[in-house]
């Protein structure tokens, strides 16, 4: 008989584990599997499918003990470490593999279910997917956060410390890639039969290092220590061709075109499961990596030519090494075009293979396949699909074109003519000779059609609408025009953006095809950008509304409006915001070594560095504020509202002015932060290597955020939506989605300034005659004077906003901008009013969920139905 209490507890724990092991599996059976078992297939294959099913007839258990057992198993059998000694980073990888097991069983079941239902699927093609970290997001969506936290704690590990070892997946740069990731989350949550397709970049775009104020680009080694979420599919490979020539063969009354490629690489698939929130649906993001057809030339190696022995491997893997290689050189342009073709060729071969598994002809292809082009980067998919249908599947031009124009739809993400992608015909003919033939044919038939059926006449208009542009630099292929001609639907991404593209860059196309054009205002997933990144606010909203259903039905969040003036609720709101600001202050402390005042206004602008986004306007405003503070008396300083200004974002490697702006921000930061006369009244920081994980700390901790692009230049913007969801007030122009945000949350709850989009063209014409304000000129003079050092280096920045060069109208909007900032200071002093605005900001963001956006795409463009799994 055991009498020692410690012995009794040990025996109880041991017996509990043994009983648990005997009761294998959960009580949630994978019942659907029996329904899809093909009895004929069982007898043909010779495999005991019934036994194979029974061996995994239920889902993995999700109780704490089962999770702990799973984690320890992966420590020992996946990582080959001792379960008695493993570090936090190994705890992360083991936890990730444990969670991936649960994702894979859902992923397998989802794909089998979709195959059985054989409905229409949507394929989202994008060069970017800015996923961020996966662990906490997947736990949230699967409803396992508490279980994994308890499981790790029981093993002696802290979830907060463990999850820090996950690297951000370097698969994107900015809003385009983050939008694609939000869309995948919504598609999975809404049970849509969807796939994402992109490229597995080995080194990302780049890791931004700021040294002495200068941006330095370094490789992002995010894959160096492994990426536990991906599944390499060695059996899913496709050949992708480049260069060579096209030969024509006569067959009776028809011609056959054969592309004799000069180079061929292999595309290898890597799958990433994407779970939906509180649903069994788990969809797939398939990324392609380039590998050589011949890995190693042994003959060259044995003759001593060691470089040549691996040259094919290096050439192939270069294709998927870096996102957006610098295209200032011919070689850079060629590599970018190679990337685009590589992605769409592998993707289309995969889609066609999947379709042909269940169909013997292409008659139903448009009824089973919808493809969305996320911007112009995947537009080469149009001639590639034509080539595959005609040359590989022996379908005639007319039928191939009918199929192509029924499956593609195109999202445009710009209003700037200079941002519309173009490729030299000479480069296209060299790299993709068959595709250039097809593009010429598409263009000829298109021009014939609009002359015959649309009343378009005259060489000038035909030249303006032609896919092939005749320019001083030679013939160019207008990729946006190719996408527009071949797609059944073209959409903008905000109401003002969709209106502008119909009036400007696509005006002549809109005049003949108005039915093609739609608007689909962007959205963001509230699961990552509120529930995950701001748990205290999530808990307060859930407690106040009495339900967490708002996480999947954001319309419910409007219920917060009735609490906007409630003093008790406002105090809870203050506490939540302070917790987020404290977390952001810790980030600043860890990064810069500075302790900042959390009672100050946290003023944030984080986004890609570009002249039209006007980070320069922000820093000129900071310079003006600094100059005023340093000349104030001690008594005057008592009325100053303290600010912590945070700026972040990457500049393209070849974008000289943007990189100079980063240096200016850094120089101002160094001067201001070390000026004892200013103290805590103003601090300025440039946060290096801005990414999703940093955004998840910065956005909840901000009090105001700056969305200050010149009106009519930003297509939509999505960071404005993320900030608004977290109660951060917008300082911005009436540009992009700001217009619709103002309609939803009320312009009185924002700080709007600047010229409207309809006035911008006239102001640009008059810019040479415009007299900037003395305050604006003084800010520039401070830069030129050398107050911040580097006067000669900053002169091109000054020149860019002088006279006609000021195409983004910084001088015109500066006075209005500074007035908006003064309103911010006044409003901040009225705490009750400020809190009301903040609460109404969050309550007014229901429209800006990516769930709403995807619902509109599914109903209006893709015509795809949800396909929830049945049990």
């Amino acid at each position: 008989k055991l009498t020692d209490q410690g012995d009794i507890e040990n025996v109880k724990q041991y017996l509990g584990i043994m009983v648990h092991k005997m009761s294998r599996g959960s009580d949630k059976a994978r019942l659907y599997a029996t329904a899809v078992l093909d009895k004929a297939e069982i007898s043909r294959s010779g495999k005991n499918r019934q036994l194979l099913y029974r061996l995994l007839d239920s889902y993995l258990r999700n109780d704490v003990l089962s999770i702990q057992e799973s984690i320890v198993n992966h420590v020992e059998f996946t990582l080959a470490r001792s379960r008695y000694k493993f570090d936090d980073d190994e705890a992360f990888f083991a936890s990730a593999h444990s969670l991936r097991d649960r994702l894979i069983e859902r992923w397998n079941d989802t794909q089998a279910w979709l195959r059985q239902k054989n409905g229409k699927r949507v394929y989202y093609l994008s060069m970017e997917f800015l996923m961020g970290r996966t662990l906490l997001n997947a736990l949230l969506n699967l409803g396992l956060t508490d279980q994994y936290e308890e499981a790790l704690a029981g093993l002696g590990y802290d979830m907060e410390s463990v999850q820090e070892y996950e690297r951000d997946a370097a698969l994107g740069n900015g809003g385009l890639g983050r939008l694609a990731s939000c869309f995948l989350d919504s598609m999975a949550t809404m049970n849509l039969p969807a796939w994402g397709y992109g490229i597995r970049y080995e080194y990302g775009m780049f890791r931004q290092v700021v040294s002495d104020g200068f941006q330095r680009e370094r490789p992002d080694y995010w894959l160096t220590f492994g990426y536990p979420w991906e599944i390499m599919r060695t059996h899913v490979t496709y050949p992708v061709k480049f260069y060579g020539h096209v030969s024509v063969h006569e067959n009776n009354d028809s011609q056959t075109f054969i592309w004799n490629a000069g180079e061929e690489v292999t595309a290898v698939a890597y799958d990433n499961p994407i779970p939906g929130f509180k649903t069994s649906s788990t969809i797939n993001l398939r990324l392609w990596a380039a590998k050589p057809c011949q890995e190693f030339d042994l003959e060259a190696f044995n003759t001593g030519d060691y470089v040549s022995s691996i040259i094919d491997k290096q050439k192939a893997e270069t294709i998927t090494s870096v996102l957006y290689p610098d295209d200032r050189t011919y070689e850079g342009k060629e590599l970018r075009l190679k990337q685009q073709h590589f992605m769409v060729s592998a993707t289309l071969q995969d889609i066609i293979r999947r379709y042909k598994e269940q169909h013997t002809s292409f008659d139903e292809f448009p009824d089973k396949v919808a493809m969305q082009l996320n911007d112009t980067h995947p537009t080469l998919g149009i001639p590639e699909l034509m080539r595959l249908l005609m040359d590989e599947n022996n379908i005639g031009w007319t039928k191939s074109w009918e199929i192509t124009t029924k499956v593609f739809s195109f999202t445009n993400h710009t209003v700037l003519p200079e941002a519309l992608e173009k490729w030299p015909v000479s480069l296209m003919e060299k790299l993709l000779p068959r595709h250039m033939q097809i593009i010429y044919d598409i263009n000829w038939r298109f021009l014939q059609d609009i002359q015959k059926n649309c009343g378009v006449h005259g060489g000038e208009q035909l030249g303006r609408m032609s896919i092939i542009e005749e320019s001083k630099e030679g013939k160019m292929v207008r990729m946006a025009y190719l996408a527009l001609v071949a797609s059944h639907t073209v959409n903008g991404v905000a109401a003002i953006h969709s209106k502008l593209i119909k009036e400007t860059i696509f005006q002549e196309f809109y005049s003949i095809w108005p039915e093609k054009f739609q608007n689909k205002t962007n959205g963001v997933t509230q699961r990552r950008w509120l529930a995950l990144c701001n748990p205290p606010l999530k808990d307060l909203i859930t407690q106040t509304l009495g339900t967490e259903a708002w996480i999947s039905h954001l319309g419910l969040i409007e219920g917060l409006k009735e609490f906007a003036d409630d003093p008790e609720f406002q105090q809870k709101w203050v506490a939540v915001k302070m917790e987020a600001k404290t977390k952001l202050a810790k980030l600043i402390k860890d990064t810069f070594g500075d302790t900042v005042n959390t009672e100050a206004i946290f003023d944030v602008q984080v986004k890609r560095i570009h002249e039209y986004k006007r980070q320069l306007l922000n820093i000129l405003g900071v310079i003006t504020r600094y100059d005023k503070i340093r000349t104030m008396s001690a008594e005057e300083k008592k009325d100053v509202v303290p600010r912590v200004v945070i700026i972040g974002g990457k500049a393209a490697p070849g974008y000289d002015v943007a990189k100079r702006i980063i240096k200016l921000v850094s120089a101002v930061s160094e001067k201001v932060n070390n000026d004892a006369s200013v103290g805590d009244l103003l601090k300025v920081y440039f946060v290096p290597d801005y990414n999703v994980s940093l955004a998840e700390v910065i956005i909840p901790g901000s009090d105001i955020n700056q969305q200050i692009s010149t009106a009519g230049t930003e297509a939509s913007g999505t960071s404005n939506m993320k900030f608004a969801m977290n109660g951060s007030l917008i300082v911005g122009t009436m540009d992009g989605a700001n217009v619709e945000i103002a309609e939803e949350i009320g312009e009185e709850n924002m700080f709007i300034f600047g010229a409207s989009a309809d006035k911008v063209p006239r102001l640009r014409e008059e810019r040479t005659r415009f007299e900037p304000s003395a305050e604006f000129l003084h800010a520039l003079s401070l830069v030129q004077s050398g107050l911040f050092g580097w006067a000669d280096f900053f002169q091109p920045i000054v020149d860019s906003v002088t006279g006609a060069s000021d195409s983004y109208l910084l001088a015109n909007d500066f006075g209005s901008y500074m007035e908006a900032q003064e309103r911010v200071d006044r409003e901040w002093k009225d705490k009750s009013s400020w809190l009301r605005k903040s609460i109404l900001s969050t309550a007014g963001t229901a429209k800006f969920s990516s769930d709403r956006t995807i619902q509109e795409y599914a109903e209006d463009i893709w015509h795809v139905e949800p396909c929830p799994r049945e049990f």
Side-chain angles (χ1 to χ4, degrees), residues 512-682:
I512 62 172
W513 292 325
E515 70 282 356
K516 274 195 179 190
F517 288 78
Q518 293 188 22
N519 173 60
K520 294 289 172 277
T521 298
N522 282 342
V524 300
T525 171
Q526 64 272 20
R527 288 165 287 280
R528 180 178 287 271
W529 294 112
L530 206 172
L532 176 67
C533 74
N534 201 342
L537 183 55
K538 178 200 77 169
D539 293 341
L540 177 59
I541 294 171
T542 299
Q543 174 192 351
T544 305
L545 298 180
T547 177
E548 67 169 20
W550 62 270
I551 300 176
S552 50
H553 299 88
L554 194 58
L556 295 173
I557 208 167
E558 292 184 353
L560 294 178
K561 291 179 180 178
E562 64 180 272
F563 299 94
D565 294 305
D566 182 343
E568 184 180 349
F569 183 73
Q570 286 187 353
Q571 288 310 304
K572 292 178 181 179
W573 196 267
V574 168
V576 164
K577 177 58 73 172
M578 185 53 66
E579 193 170 340
K581 292 180 72 172
T582 301
K583 193 174 180 181
L584 177 51
K586 182 179 182 300
L587 173 66
I588 293 171
K589 175 73 172 177
D590 293 344
T591 307
F592 302 99
D594 292 354
T595 301
V596 295
N597 176 15
T598 54
E599 297 295 333
I601 295 176
F602 281 17
D603 177 352
V604 174
Q605 187 183 21
V606 282
K607 53 183 72 246
R608 178 167 54 96
I609 309 297
H610 197 289
E611 288 168 276
Y612 87 82
K613 294 179 183 289
R614 300 204 295 190
Q615 285 90 352
L616 182 55
L617 178 62
N618 185 350
I619 201 62
L620 289 175
V622 170
I623 289 170
T624 301
R625 177 179 289 268
Y626 167 64
D627 188 53
K628 288 179 180 178
I629 293 173
R630 70 182 183 135
T631 57
M632 284 180 178
S633 66
E635 194 62 30
E636 289 173 318
K637 288 178 181 177
K638 291 180 181 178
D639 290 330
V640 174
V641 175
R643 281 216 195 188
V644 177
V645 177
I646 300 165
I647 299 174
K650 295 179 179 179
Y655 196 169
D656 180 67
V657 172
K659 294 173 89 167
R660 290 175 191 264
I661 290 171
I662 290 175
K663 174 59 180 174
L664 178 59
V665 174
S666 300
V668 171
S669 172
E670 185 176 3
K671 181 70 175 177
V672 171
N673 295 354
N674 291 291
D675 190 332
S677 69
V678 173
D680 283 344
L681 296 181
L682 182 62

Side-chain angles (χ1 to χ4, degrees), residues 814-869:
F814 187 77
S816 177
Y817 173 71
M818 294 307 297
E819 288 173 7
Q821 293 289 7
E822 289 171 6
R823 293 202 307 275
V824 170
D825 289 344
R826 289 196 301 271
E827 290 285 350
W828 179 258
K829 293 177 181 178
D830 186 344
K831 292 301 182 184
S832 179
S833 174
W834 184 276
L835 289 168
R836 182 178 189 277
K837 292 176 185 293
S838 178
I839 295 165
L840 291 174
S841 176
T842 298
T845 54
K847 176 180 178 179
F848 304 105
S849 168
S850 51
D851 296 350
R852 186 267 315 154
T853 312
I854 288 300
Q855 183 74 31
E856 293 178 4
Y857 272 102
E859 292 177 353
D860 303 339
I861 297 179
W862 304 330
H863 306 296
V864 171
E865 296 289 333
C867 194
R869 276 180 28 217

Side-chain angles (χ1 to χ4, degrees), residues 367-387:
D367 299 322
K368 300 297 181 182
V369 172
M371 286 187 266
Q372 187 70 37
L373 304 176
N374 190 27
D375 215 358
T376 55
H377 307 127
T379 302
L380 279 171
I382 292 163
E384 174 67 358
L385 179 58
M386 290 290 290
R387 183 189 73 82

Side-chain angles (χ1 to χ4, degrees), residues 6 51 75 91 211 301 343 394 519 616 665 737 762 784 794 867:
L51 173 60
V75 168
S211 175
F301 185 86
M343 192 271 278
N394 303 312
N519 173 60
L616 182 55
V665 174
R762 178 179 58 79
Q784 290 175 300
F794 295 142
C867 194

Side-chain angles (χ1 to χ4, degrees), residues 341-395:
H341 171 64
F342 172 81
M343 192 271 278
V344 299
S345 179
T347 297
L348 287 165
Q349 290 180 73
D350 197 44
I351 292 170
I352 289 172
R353 185 267 309 161
R354 186 174 299 110
Y355 172 81
K356 289 171 76 172
E357 285 179 351
Q358 294 181 273
H359 302 85
T360 56
S361 77
F362 280 87
D363 293 344
E364 292 185 84
F365 196 76
D367 299 322
K368 300 297 181 182
V369 172
M371 286 187 266
Q372 187 70 37
L373 304 176
N374 190 27
D375 215 358
T376 55
H377 307 127
T379 302
L380 279 171
I382 292 163
E384 174 67 358
L385 179 58
M386 290 290 290
R387 183 189 73 82
L388 290 169
L389 292 174
M390 293 189 298
D391 300 354
E392 305 291 335
N393 290 279
N394 303 312
I395 300 175

Side-chain angles (χ1 to χ4, degrees), residues 210-442:
V210 178
S211 175
D212 194 25
F214 292 95
Q215 172 180 292
R216 310 290 187 194
E217 297 91 28
R218 302 286 185 266
D220 190 338
Y221 296 108
W222 68 287
L223 288 171
T224 299
F225 299 106
Y227 186 62
W229 309 107
E230 68 180 6
I231 303 145
M232 183 180 181
R233 303 291 192 186
T234 53
H235 63 287
V236 182
T237 62
Y238 300 98
V240 179
K241 303 175 183 177
F242 303 100
Y243 306 110
H245 66 278
V246 180
S247 56
V248 183
H249 299 264
E250 300 288 342
N251 297 317
N252 299 325
D253 296 331
S254 64
Q255 292 180 320
T256 302
F257 293 84
I258 298 177
W259 181 10
N260 303 286
E263 181 181 307
E264 186 176 302
V265 301
T266 299
V268 179
Y270 287 77
D271 287 346
N272 298 261
I274 309 294
F277 179 75
K278 296 290 179 74
T279 173
S280 56
S281 176
T282 297
I283 63 172
N284 194 42
L285 169 60
R286 177 158 284 178
L287 303 174
W288 301 107
K291 305 292 181 183
C293 294
Q294 180 179 328
E295 183 92 8
F296 185 74
D297 188 339
L298 185 60
E299 186 174 333
F301 185 86
N302 286 336
T303 60
D305 193 352
Y306 306 129
V307 174
S308 295
S309 68
I310 59 170
I311 195 71
D312 287 342
K313 175 180 171 67
Q314 290 177 327
K315 285 170 64 178
E317 293 178 352
T318 297
I319 295 172
T320 53
S321 289
V322 176
L323 168 65
Y324 299 145
D326 191 344
D327 61 355
R328 286 176 293 179
T329 64
Y330 178 86
E331 291 77 14
K333 289 183 174 66
E334 185 177 52
L335 182 55
R336 277 208 187 191
L337 191 58
K338 260 189 167 183
Q339 281 187 339
Q340 293 182 7
H341 171 64
F342 172 81
M343 192 271 278
V344 299
S345 179
T347 297
L348 287 165
Q349 290 180 73
D350 197 44
I351 292 170
I352 289 172
R353 185 267 309 161
R354 186 174 299 110
Y355 172 81
K356 289 171 76 172
E357 285 179 351
Q358 294 181 273
H359 302 85
T360 56
S361 77
F362 280 87
D363 293 344
E364 292 185 84
F365 196 76
D367 299 322
K368 300 297 181 182
V369 172
M371 286 187 266
Q372 187 70 37
L373 304 176
N374 190 27
D375 215 358
T376 55
H377 307 127
T379 302
L380 279 171
I382 292 163
E384 174 67 358
L385 179 58
M386 290 290 290
R387 183 189 73 82
L388 290 169
L389 292 174
M390 293 189 298
D391 300 354
E392 305 291 335
N393 290 279
N394 303 312
I395 300 175
W397 175 280
T398 302
K399 180 68 173 176
S400 297
W401 183 245
E402 179 187 352
I403 292 171
T404 299
T405 54
K406 286 182 177 180
V407 298
F408 280 110
S409 47
F410 164 52
T411 299
N412 170 263
H413 285 277
T414 187
V415 292
L416 305 176
E418 63 270 22
L420 293 175
E421 195 173 41
K422 301 175 186 177
W423 292 109
V425 167
S426 58
L427 174 58
M428 190 82 78
E429 287 176 329
K430 174 189 172 186
L431 187 66
L432 303 168
R434 179 60 178 136
H435 296 71
M436 196 62 243
Q437 288 180 343
I438 293 170
I439 291 170
Y440 269 129
D441 221 345
I442 291 172

Side-chain angles (χ1 to χ4, degrees), residues 60-62 66-75 78 91-105 135 139 142 144 148 151 228-229:
L60 293 172
R61 298 174 69 95
N62 289 323
S66 297
I67 291 169
Q68 288 173 331
E69 184 180 7
S70 173
I71 291 172
V72 171
N73 278 340
H74 279 292
V75 168
T78 303
F92 159 69
F93 279 98
S95 300
H97 281 290
S98 164
L99 183 58
R100 192 184 77 162
D101 292 345
R102 288 153 173 79
L103 292 174
I104 287 174
E105 62 183 1
L135 178 64
L139 287 173
L142 267 59
L144 296 177
Y148 267 79
W229 309 107

